[in-house]
Amino acid sequence: MRRGGRAETSIVEHRDIIDALTRRDADLAERRVREHTLGLARHVEQHCDFLD
């Protein structure tokens, strides 16, 4: 998580998800969760070769 600034990015993404939930915007929350999850998956593929 520390490689490539992913931890900082993740914090911002979580705040954005919470903001969408607070505004009761289900479509936006869903989109933000999906983007966050896919971004994390890309990060793991790029930086976590030690898991192989």
Side-chain angles (χ1 to χ4, degrees):
M1 290 295 291
R2 293 182 185 185
R3 291 183 183 179
R6 183 63 204 167
E8 293 81 7
T9 300
S10 187
I11 290 168
V12 171
E13 291 170 351
H14 281 119
R15 287 182 182 160
D16 289 344
I17 292 165
I18 292 167
D19 178 61
L21 292 169
T22 300
R23 293 193 289 151
R24 298 181 185 269
D25 188 335
D27 293 334
L28 180 59
E30 178 186 8
R31 185 170 60 247
R32 287 180 172 173
V33 168
R34 184 179 304 111
E35 290 169 353
H36 169 70
T37 303
L38 293 174
L40 181 57
R42 279 190 302 275
H43 178 81
V44 168
E45 286 178 2
Q46 293 172 356
H47 298 284
C48 297
D49 56 342
F50 62 89
L51 297 173
D52 293 336

